[in-house]
């Protein structure tokens, strides 16, 4: 039986930019079929101001955005995860916790927009938003119910390569 709502976790080392953008996008675009979360291996403790500015400019809510540890999602009582995506290379190279639910994992890495030169930083956040939006749209278009686990893992991994 397919779940009525798929739980998705986006992981980045600092959980202040890329993963927060992805969480907000998936929650909006997933239209109730997907519930997204984000977390970091070494959370910065605050969301980058340009993350909030980018979300607000795109009409996405910023209330409730917070930088948090991935341990929240590996502890008892955490939501059962169906998908976990790393969105930065550092987090992809780290030993992840054991996630509840044996989720399908993939790497959707992209450069850290906060590390862009100051004169290009705002545009880097917009570019990250656009790239992540496209990846999420591609995932949402997948025929989840008709793909077996191996095929689904391959398809979501391919999305991160584009």
């Amino acid at each position: 039986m397919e779940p009525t709502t798929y739980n998705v976790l986006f992981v980045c080392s600092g959980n202040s930019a890329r993963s927060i953008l992805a969480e907000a996008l998936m929650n909006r675009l997933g239209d109730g079929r997907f519930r997204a979360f984000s977390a970091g291996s070494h959370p910065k403790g605050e969301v980058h101001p340009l993350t909030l500015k980018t979300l607000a400019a795109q009409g996405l809510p910023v209330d409730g955005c917070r930088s948090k540890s991935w341990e929240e999602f590996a502890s008892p009582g955490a939501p059962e995860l169906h998908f976990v995506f790393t969105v930065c290379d550092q987090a992809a190279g780290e030993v992840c916790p054991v996630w509840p639910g044996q989720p399908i994992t993939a790497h959707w890495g992209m450069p850290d927009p906060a590390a862009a030169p100051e004169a290009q930083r705002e545009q880097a956040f917009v570019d990250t938003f656009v790239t992540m939006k496209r990846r999420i749209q591609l995932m949402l278009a997948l025929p989840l119910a008709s793909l077996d686990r191996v095929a689904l893992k391959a398809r979501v991994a391919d999305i991160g390569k584009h």
Side-chain angles (χ1 to χ4, degrees), residues 55-106:
L55 290 173
Q58 297 296 325
L60 293 172
V62 297
D63 54 313
C65 290
R66 67 184 180 92
S67 178
K68 57 208 158 294
S69 173
W70 63 8
E71 292 300 327
E72 284 188 31
F73 300 94
S75 60
E80 180 179 326
L81 300 171
H82 300 97
F83 299 93
V84 174
F85 298 109
T86 52
V87 293
C88 77
D89 293 337
Q90 182 177 338
E94 295 176 333
V95 176
C96 294
V98 175
W99 308 113
Q102 299 176 333
I104 290 174
T105 60

Side-chain angles (χ1 to χ4, degrees), residues 85 104-108 152-162:
F85 298 109
I104 290 174
T105 60
H107 180 57
W108 286 6
L152 183 54
K153 181 167 178 54
R155 297 282 292 273
V156 295
D158 284 344
I159 290 169
K161 295 175 185 172
H162 301 288

Side-chain angles (χ1 to χ4, degrees), residues 3-86:
T4 56
T5 302
Y6 294 94
N7 291 323
V8 181
L9 178 64
F10 292 97
V11 176
C12 198
S13 55
N15 189 223
S16 69
R18 294 164 283 190
S19 53
I20 300 278
L21 292 170
E23 174 186 14
L25 276 161
M26 180 63 86
N27 280 327
R28 171 62 60 87
L29 299 174
D31 198 30
R33 288 181 47 224
F34 291 82
R35 181 172 57 170
F37 307 93
S38 67
S41 55
H42 305 296
K44 295 194 181 218
E46 63 183 18
V47 178
H48 195 286
L50 287 176
T51 300
L52 299 174
K53 182 177 181 179
T54 303
L55 290 173
Q58 297 296 325
L60 293 172
V62 297
D63 54 313
C65 290
R66 67 184 180 92
S67 178
K68 57 208 158 294
S69 173
W70 63 8
E71 292 300 327
E72 284 188 31
F73 300 94
S75 60
E80 180 179 326
L81 300 171
H82 300 97
F83 299 93
V84 174
F85 298 109
T86 52

